[in-house]
Amino acid sequence: MKLIIFFAALIVAVVAQNGCVRDDSDGRPACNAAEVTQGRWRNNWDPTAYWVCTTAGTAATLVRCPTEGMFDPITLNCINWFDWQWQPTCRPPSALA
């Protein structure tokens, strides 16, 4: 029992540290009002593509980066693959509620 409590506390500490809850899905957002404000979302399964939310309540659209481009989840833009670095996959806010 103590071991379970320890691991639960460890998980909470890691999530609290970086504010990220791991997301093993493709990252497609629900396009609620908060996600439309951000506009672009990482495609967790394909770093050469990203999701775009334009209107709340509609499905996200998949967009591909130009040739030799990779989507950077920090700048929310396509960058040259030489400059791209992997970032942990995080769930969109709508998936956490």
Side-chain angles (χ1 to χ4, degrees):
M1 182 65 175
K2 289 181 182 180
L3 187 61
I4 292 171
I5 293 171
F6 170 76
F7 282 116
L10 183 62
I11 290 170
V12 168
V14 169
V15 169
Q17 180 182 14
N18 64 11
C20 177
V21 175
R22 183 180 167 143
D23 185 5
D24 292 326
S25 75
D26 64 359
R28 187 177 200 162
C31 291
N32 62 25
E35 292 169 347
V36 169
T37 302
Q38 181 170 332
R40 297 177 181 186
W41 291 89
R42 169 189 192 164
N43 182 323
N44 295 337
W45 295 348
D46 183 358
T48 67
Y50 58 94
W51 299 104
V52 175
C53 285
T54 54
T55 307
T58 61
T61 305
L62 184 69
V63 178
R64 296 233 171 256
C65 290
T67 304
E68 297 182 12
M70 305 278 269
F71 184 73
D72 180 24
I74 296 173
T75 64
L76 303 179
N77 289 305
C78 292
I79 60 174
N80 188 295
W81 65 275
F82 282 119
D83 300 322
W84 185 84
Q85 292 183 347
W86 182 86
Q87 299 292 325
T89 57
C90 299
R91 285 188 186 162
S94 64
L96 298 176

PDB file of all heavy atoms in Angstrom, residues 21-48:
ATOM      1  N   VAL A  21       0.303  16.431 -18.923  1.00  0.00           N
ATOM      2  CA  VAL A  21      -0.205  15.079 -18.743  1.00  0.00           C
ATOM      3  C   VAL A  21       0.046  14.351 -20.060  1.00  0.00           C
ATOM      4  O   VAL A  21      -0.411  14.792 -21.116  1.00  0.00           O
ATOM      5  CB  VAL A  21      -1.707  15.074 -18.406  1.00  0.00           C
ATOM      6  CG1 VAL A  21      -2.233  13.658 -18.333  1.00  0.00           C
ATOM      7  CG2 VAL A  21      -1.944  15.806 -17.092  1.00  0.00           C
ATOM      8  N   ARG A  22       0.802  13.269 -20.008  1.00  0.00           N
ATOM      9  CA  ARG A  22       1.191  12.543 -21.213  1.00  0.00           C
ATOM     10  C   ARG A  22      -0.022  12.194 -22.069  1.00  0.00           C
ATOM     11  O   ARG A  22      -1.046  11.770 -21.573  1.00  0.00           O
ATOM     12  CB  ARG A  22       1.930  11.274 -20.836  1.00  0.00           C
ATOM     13  CG  ARG A  22       2.417  10.520 -22.047  1.00  0.00           C
ATOM     14  CD  ARG A  22       3.129   9.273 -21.639  1.00  0.00           C
ATOM     15  NE  ARG A  22       3.309   8.434 -22.795  1.00  0.00           N
ATOM     16  CZ  ARG A  22       4.366   7.701 -23.013  1.00  0.00           C
ATOM     17  NH1 ARG A  22       5.334   7.689 -22.149  1.00  0.00           N
ATOM     18  NH2 ARG A  22       4.456   6.960 -24.083  1.00  0.00           N
ATOM     19  N   ASP A  23       0.148  12.348 -23.371  1.00  0.00           N
ATOM     20  CA  ASP A  23      -0.928  12.072 -24.323  1.00  0.00           C
ATOM     21  C   ASP A  23      -0.405  11.116 -25.375  1.00  0.00           C
ATOM     22  O   ASP A  23       0.469  11.462 -26.155  1.00  0.00           O
ATOM     23  CB  ASP A  23      -1.387  13.374 -24.975  1.00  0.00           C
ATOM     24  CG  ASP A  23      -2.577  13.187 -25.896  1.00  0.00           C
ATOM     25  OD1 ASP A  23      -3.119  12.071 -25.964  1.00  0.00           O
ATOM     26  OD2 ASP A  23      -2.957  14.164 -26.552  1.00  0.00           O
ATOM     27  N   ASP A  24      -0.941   9.885 -25.395  1.00  0.00           N
ATOM     28  CA  ASP A  24      -0.528   8.898 -26.387  1.00  0.00           C
ATOM     29  C   ASP A  24      -1.447   8.880 -27.602  1.00  0.00           C
ATOM     30  O   ASP A  24      -1.280   8.054 -28.490  1.00  0.00           O
ATOM     31  CB  ASP A  24      -0.489   7.499 -25.756  1.00  0.00           C
ATOM     32  CG  ASP A  24       0.624   7.389 -24.726  1.00  0.00           C
ATOM     33  OD1 ASP A  24       1.678   8.028 -24.930  1.00  0.00           O
ATOM     34  OD2 ASP A  24       0.443   6.684 -23.733  1.00  0.00           O
ATOM     35  N   SER A  25      -2.422   9.798 -27.646  1.00  0.00           N
ATOM     36  CA  SER A  25      -3.316   9.875 -28.803  1.00  0.00           C
ATOM     37  C   SER A  25      -2.630  10.659 -29.917  1.00  0.00           C
ATOM     38  O   SER A  25      -1.495  11.105 -29.778  1.00  0.00           O
ATOM     39  CB  SER A  25      -4.622  10.569 -28.411  1.00  0.00           C
ATOM     40  OG  SER A  25      -4.409  11.965 -28.276  1.00  0.00           O
ATOM     41  N   ASP A  26      -3.340  10.883 -31.012  1.00  0.00           N
ATOM     42  CA  ASP A  26      -2.762  11.672 -32.101  1.00  0.00           C
ATOM     43  C   ASP A  26      -2.753  13.166 -31.782  1.00  0.00           C
ATOM     44  O   ASP A  26      -2.218  13.959 -32.535  1.00  0.00           O
ATOM     45  CB  ASP A  26      -3.470  11.403 -33.431  1.00  0.00           C
ATOM     46  CG  ASP A  26      -4.926  11.829 -33.436  1.00  0.00           C
ATOM     47  OD1 ASP A  26      -5.429  12.329 -32.411  1.00  0.00           O
ATOM     48  OD2 ASP A  26      -5.580  11.650 -34.481  1.00  0.00           O
ATOM     49  N   GLY A  27      -3.348  13.564 -30.666  1.00  0.00           N
ATOM     50  CA  GLY A  27      -3.320  14.959 -30.239  1.00  0.00           C
ATOM     51  C   GLY A  27      -4.412  15.822 -30.834  1.00  0.00           C
ATOM     52  O   GLY A  27      -4.433  17.024 -30.612  1.00  0.00           O
ATOM     53  N   ARG A  28      -5.320  15.222 -31.594  1.00  0.00           N
ATOM     54  CA  ARG A  28      -6.379  16.007 -32.235  1.00  0.00           C
ATOM     55  C   ARG A  28      -7.252  16.678 -31.175  1.00  0.00           C
ATOM     56  O   ARG A  28      -7.877  16.011 -30.365  1.00  0.00           O
ATOM     57  CB  ARG A  28      -7.240  15.116 -33.112  1.00  0.00           C
ATOM     58  CG  ARG A  28      -8.248  15.880 -33.922  1.00  0.00           C
ATOM     59  CD  ARG A  28      -9.017  14.932 -34.812  1.00  0.00           C
ATOM     60  NE  ARG A  28      -9.624  15.676 -35.882  1.00  0.00           N
ATOM     61  CZ  ARG A  28     -10.058  15.143 -36.998  1.00  0.00           C
ATOM     62  NH1 ARG A  28      -9.945  13.846 -37.195  1.00  0.00           N
ATOM     63  NH2 ARG A  28     -10.597  15.885 -37.918  1.00  0.00           N
ATOM     64  N   PRO A  29      -7.302  18.028 -31.158  1.00  0.00           N
ATOM     65  CA  PRO A  29      -8.082  18.728 -30.142  1.00  0.00           C
ATOM     66  C   PRO A  29      -9.576  18.709 -30.459  1.00  0.00           C
ATOM     67  O   PRO A  29      -9.985  18.460 -31.591  1.00  0.00           O
ATOM     68  CB  PRO A  29      -7.527  20.154 -30.203  1.00  0.00           C
ATOM     69  CG  PRO A  29      -7.069  20.302 -31.613  1.00  0.00           C
ATOM     70  CD  PRO A  29      -6.568  18.939 -32.028  1.00  0.00           C
ATOM     71  N   ALA A  30     -10.376  18.995 -29.446  1.00  0.00           N
ATOM     72  CA  ALA A  30     -11.833  19.021 -29.598  1.00  0.00           C
ATOM     73  C   ALA A  30     -12.315  20.322 -30.215  1.00  0.00           C
ATOM     74  O   ALA A  30     -13.477  20.437 -30.584  1.00  0.00           O
ATOM     75  CB  ALA A  30     -12.492  18.820 -28.239  1.00  0.00           C
ATOM     76  N   CYS A  31     -11.436  21.303 -30.340  1.00  0.00           N
ATOM     77  CA  CYS A  31     -11.752  22.628 -30.888  1.00  0.00           C
ATOM     78  C   CYS A  31     -12.828  23.343 -30.074  1.00  0.00           C
ATOM     79  O   CYS A  31     -13.789  23.877 -30.619  1.00  0.00           O
ATOM     80  CB  CYS A  31     -12.138  22.545 -32.365  1.00  0.00           C
ATOM     81  SG  CYS A  31     -10.759  22.101 -33.430  1.00  0.00           S
ATOM     82  N   ASN A  32     -12.646  23.362 -28.758  1.00  0.00           N
ATOM     83  CA  ASN A  32     -13.509  24.188 -27.921  1.00  0.00           C
ATOM     84  C   ASN A  32     -12.975  25.620 -27.965  1.00  0.00           C
ATOM     85  O   ASN A  32     -11.986  25.898 -28.647  1.00  0.00           O
ATOM     86  CB  ASN A  32     -13.581  23.633 -26.493  1.00  0.00           C
ATOM     87  CG  ASN A  32     -12.234  23.618 -25.813  1.00  0.00           C
ATOM     88  OD1 ASN A  32     -11.340  24.387 -26.142  1.00  0.00           O
ATOM     89  ND2 ASN A  32     -12.063  22.731 -24.860  1.00  0.00           N
ATOM     90  N   ALA A  33     -13.603  26.535 -27.264  1.00  0.00           N
ATOM     91  CA  ALA A  33     -13.225  27.954 -27.341  1.00  0.00           C
ATOM     92  C   ALA A  33     -11.759  28.189 -26.973  1.00  0.00           C
ATOM     93  O   ALA A  33     -11.058  28.955 -27.641  1.00  0.00           O
ATOM     94  CB  ALA A  33     -14.141  28.779 -26.449  1.00  0.00           C
ATOM     95  N   ALA A  34     -11.267  27.526 -25.920  1.00  0.00           N
ATOM     96  CA  ALA A  34      -9.875  27.722 -25.501  1.00  0.00           C
ATOM     97  C   ALA A  34      -8.905  27.220 -26.560  1.00  0.00           C
ATOM     98  O   ALA A  34      -7.860  27.820 -26.802  1.00  0.00           O
ATOM     99  CB  ALA A  34      -9.622  27.015 -24.179  1.00  0.00           C
ATOM    100  N   GLU A  35      -9.228  26.110 -27.212  1.00  0.00           N
ATOM    101  CA  GLU A  35      -8.328  25.541 -28.214  1.00  0.00           C
ATOM    102  C   GLU A  35      -8.362  26.322 -29.520  1.00  0.00           C
ATOM    103  O   GLU A  35      -7.364  26.399 -30.228  1.00  0.00           O
ATOM    104  CB  GLU A  35      -8.677  24.071 -28.438  1.00  0.00           C
ATOM    105  CG  GLU A  35      -8.363  23.252 -27.213  1.00  0.00           C
ATOM    106  CD  GLU A  35      -8.914  21.852 -27.246  1.00  0.00           C
ATOM    107  OE1 GLU A  35      -9.755  21.531 -28.098  1.00  0.00           O
ATOM    108  OE2 GLU A  35      -8.504  21.069 -26.390  1.00  0.00           O
ATOM    109  N   VAL A  36      -9.480  26.951 -29.839  1.00  0.00           N
ATOM    110  CA  VAL A  36      -9.551  27.797 -31.035  1.00  0.00           C
ATOM    111  C   VAL A  36      -8.647  29.004 -30.852  1.00  0.00           C
ATOM    112  O   VAL A  36      -7.993  29.452 -31.793  1.00  0.00           O
ATOM    113  CB  VAL A  36     -11.009  28.220 -31.330  1.00  0.00           C
ATOM    114  CG1 VAL A  36     -11.069  29.295 -32.393  1.00  0.00           C
ATOM    115  CG2 VAL A  36     -11.826  27.010 -31.764  1.00  0.00           C
ATOM    116  N   THR A  37      -8.545  29.508 -29.624  1.00  0.00           N
ATOM    117  CA  THR A  37      -7.682  30.655 -29.340  1.00  0.00           C
ATOM    118  C   THR A  37      -6.225  30.329 -29.653  1.00  0.00           C
ATOM    119  O   THR A  37      -5.513  31.133 -30.231  1.00  0.00           O
ATOM    120  CB  THR A  37      -7.807  31.077 -27.856  1.00  0.00           C
ATOM    121  OG1 THR A  37      -9.165  31.384 -27.596  1.00  0.00           O
ATOM    122  CG2 THR A  37      -6.950  32.270 -27.549  1.00  0.00           C
ATOM    123  N   GLN A  38      -5.767  29.127 -29.281  1.00  0.00           N
ATOM    124  CA  GLN A  38      -4.388  28.741 -29.592  1.00  0.00           C
ATOM    125  C   GLN A  38      -4.237  28.487 -31.082  1.00  0.00           C
ATOM    126  O   GLN A  38      -3.210  28.799 -31.662  1.00  0.00           O
ATOM    127  CB  GLN A  38      -3.963  27.502 -28.807  1.00  0.00           C
ATOM    128  CG  GLN A  38      -2.530  27.112 -29.104  1.00  0.00           C
ATOM    129  CD  GLN A  38      -2.004  26.048 -28.166  1.00  0.00           C
ATOM    130  OE1 GLN A  38      -2.431  25.931 -27.037  1.00  0.00           O
ATOM    131  NE2 GLN A  38      -1.045  25.288 -28.643  1.00  0.00           N
ATOM    132  N   GLY A  39      -5.237  27.895 -31.703  1.00  0.00           N
ATOM    133  CA  GLY A  39      -5.234  27.721 -33.153  1.00  0.00           C
ATOM    134  C   GLY A  39      -4.565  26.468 -33.667  1.00  0.00           C
ATOM    135  O   GLY A  39      -5.169  25.692 -34.374  1.00  0.00           O
ATOM    136  N   ARG A  40      -3.298  26.272 -33.346  1.00  0.00           N
ATOM    137  CA  ARG A  40      -2.540  25.134 -33.867  1.00  0.00           C
ATOM    138  C   ARG A  40      -2.174  24.184 -32.739  1.00  0.00           C
ATOM    139  O   ARG A  40      -1.803  24.606 -31.653  1.00  0.00           O
ATOM    140  CB  ARG A  40      -1.262  25.600 -34.541  1.00  0.00           C
ATOM    141  CG  ARG A  40      -1.501  26.464 -35.743  1.00  0.00           C
ATOM    142  CD  ARG A  40      -0.191  26.931 -36.306  1.00  0.00           C
ATOM    143  NE  ARG A  40      -0.422  27.787 -37.456  1.00  0.00           N
ATOM    144  CZ  ARG A  40       0.533  28.254 -38.215  1.00  0.00           C
ATOM    145  NH1 ARG A  40       1.797  27.961 -37.946  1.00  0.00           N
ATOM    146  NH2 ARG A  40       0.247  29.015 -39.234  1.00  0.00           N
ATOM    147  N   TRP A  41      -2.255  22.869 -33.067  1.00  0.00           N
ATOM    148  CA  TRP A  41      -1.925  21.834 -32.085  1.00  0.00           C
ATOM    149  C   TRP A  41      -1.035  20.786 -32.715  1.00  0.00           C
ATOM    150  O   TRP A  41      -1.223  20.420 -33.875  1.00  0.00           O
ATOM    151  CB  TRP A  41      -3.203  21.161 -31.561  1.00  0.00           C
ATOM    152  CG  TRP A  41      -3.995  22.097 -30.719  1.00  0.00           C
ATOM    153  CD1 TRP A  41      -4.962  22.958 -31.151  1.00  0.00           C
ATOM    154  CD2 TRP A  41      -3.854  22.323 -29.342  1.00  0.00           C
ATOM    155  NE1 TRP A  41      -5.434  23.693 -30.115  1.00  0.00           N
ATOM    156  CE2 TRP A  41      -4.775  23.319 -28.976  1.00  0.00           C
ATOM    157  CE3 TRP A  41      -3.043  21.774 -28.356  1.00  0.00           C
ATOM    158  CZ2 TRP A  41      -4.906  23.776 -27.680  1.00  0.00           C
ATOM    159  CZ3 TRP A  41      -3.190  22.227 -27.061  1.00  0.00           C
ATOM    160  CH2 TRP A  41      -4.106  23.213 -26.735  1.00  0.00           C
ATOM    161  N   ARG A  42      -0.124  20.295 -31.960  1.00  0.00           N
ATOM    162  CA  ARG A  42       0.805  19.264 -32.410  1.00  0.00           C
ATOM    163  C   ARG A  42       0.072  17.975 -32.771  1.00  0.00           C
ATOM    164  O   ARG A  42      -0.848  17.556 -32.088  1.00  0.00           O
ATOM    165  CB  ARG A  42       1.766  18.984 -31.256  1.00  0.00           C
ATOM    166  CG  ARG A  42       2.620  17.785 -31.427  1.00  0.00           C
ATOM    167  CD  ARG A  42       3.338  17.524 -30.121  1.00  0.00           C
ATOM    168  NE  ARG A  42       4.380  16.541 -30.300  1.00  0.00           N
ATOM    169  CZ  ARG A  42       5.349  16.352 -29.436  1.00  0.00           C
ATOM    170  NH1 ARG A  42       5.410  17.080 -28.346  1.00  0.00           N
ATOM    171  NH2 ARG A  42       6.254  15.451 -29.656  1.00  0.00           N
ATOM    172  N   ASN A  43       0.496  17.335 -33.838  1.00  0.00           N
ATOM    173  CA  ASN A  43       0.059  15.982 -34.153  1.00  0.00           C
ATOM    174  C   ASN A  43       1.080  15.065 -33.487  1.00  0.00           C
ATOM    175  O   ASN A  43       2.240  15.025 -33.895  1.00  0.00           O
ATOM    176  CB  ASN A  43       0.019  15.753 -35.660  1.00  0.00           C
ATOM    177  CG  ASN A  43      -0.481  14.384 -36.033  1.00  0.00           C
ATOM    178  OD1 ASN A  43      -0.198  13.405 -35.356  1.00  0.00           O
ATOM    179  ND2 ASN A  43      -1.227  14.308 -37.109  1.00  0.00           N
ATOM    180  N   ASN A  44       0.662  14.359 -32.462  1.00  0.00           N
ATOM    181  CA  ASN A  44       1.595  13.554 -31.667  1.00  0.00           C
ATOM    182  C   ASN A  44       2.180  12.373 -32.429  1.00  0.00           C
ATOM    183  O   ASN A  44       3.191  11.827 -32.015  1.00  0.00           O
ATOM    184  CB  ASN A  44       0.911  13.049 -30.401  1.00  0.00           C
ATOM    185  CG  ASN A  44       0.533  14.171 -29.471  1.00  0.00           C
ATOM    186  OD1 ASN A  44       1.108  15.248 -29.508  1.00  0.00           O
ATOM    187  ND2 ASN A  44      -0.444  13.930 -28.627  1.00  0.00           N
ATOM    188  N   TRP A  45       1.537  11.954 -33.487  1.00  0.00           N
ATOM    189  CA  TRP A  45       2.006  10.786 -34.231  1.00  0.00           C
ATOM    190  C   TRP A  45       2.806  11.154 -35.473  1.00  0.00           C
ATOM    191  O   TRP A  45       3.459  10.306 -36.063  1.00  0.00           O
ATOM    192  CB  TRP A  45       0.817   9.919 -34.646  1.00  0.00           C
ATOM    193  CG  TRP A  45       0.089   9.310 -33.496  1.00  0.00           C
ATOM    194  CD1 TRP A  45       0.484   9.261 -32.186  1.00  0.00           C
ATOM    195  CD2 TRP A  45      -1.170   8.658 -33.537  1.00  0.00           C
ATOM    196  NE1 TRP A  45      -0.454   8.624 -31.420  1.00  0.00           N
ATOM    197  CE2 TRP A  45      -1.477   8.242 -32.224  1.00  0.00           C
ATOM    198  CE3 TRP A  45      -2.080   8.377 -34.551  1.00  0.00           C
ATOM    199  CZ2 TRP A  45      -2.649   7.564 -31.906  1.00  0.00           C
ATOM    200  CZ3 TRP A  45      -3.242   7.704 -34.225  1.00  0.00           C
ATOM    201  CH2 TRP A  45      -3.510   7.308 -32.925  1.00  0.00           C
ATOM    202  N   ASP A  46       2.754  12.412 -35.895  1.00  0.00           N
ATOM    203  CA  ASP A  46       3.436  12.827 -37.122  1.00  0.00           C
ATOM    204  C   ASP A  46       4.014  14.218 -36.936  1.00  0.00           C
ATOM    205  O   ASP A  46       3.286  15.214 -36.991  1.00  0.00           O
ATOM    206  CB  ASP A  46       2.454  12.822 -38.294  1.00  0.00           C
ATOM    207  CG  ASP A  46       3.096  13.178 -39.619  1.00  0.00           C
ATOM    208  OD1 ASP A  46       4.313  13.473 -39.646  1.00  0.00           O
ATOM    209  OD2 ASP A  46       2.384  13.171 -40.628  1.00  0.00           O
ATOM    210  N   PRO A  47       5.318  14.351 -36.698  1.00  0.00           N
ATOM    211  CA  PRO A  47       5.901  15.667 -36.454  1.00  0.00           C
ATOM    212  C   PRO A  47       5.943  16.570 -37.687  1.00  0.00           C
ATOM    213  O   PRO A  47       6.269  17.745 -37.563  1.00  0.00           O
ATOM    214  CB  PRO A  47       7.317  15.349 -35.957  1.00  0.00           C
ATOM    215  CG  PRO A  47       7.622  14.007 -36.528  1.00  0.00           C
ATOM    216  CD  PRO A  47       6.314  13.281 -36.597  1.00  0.00           C
ATOM    217  N   THR A  48       5.598  16.036 -38.855  1.00  0.00           N
ATOM    218  CA  THR A  48       5.564  16.876 -40.056  1.00  0.00           C
ATOM    219  C   THR A  48       4.181  17.479 -40.281  1.00  0.00           C
ATOM    220  O   THR A  48       3.946  18.132 -41.290  1.00  0.00           O
ATOM    221  CB  THR A  48       5.969  16.075 -41.315  1.00  0.00           C
ATOM    222  OG1 THR A  48       4.973  15.084 -41.583  1.00  0.00           O
ATOM    223  CG2 THR A  48       7.328  15.438 -41.153  1.00  0.00           C
TER     224      THR A  48
END
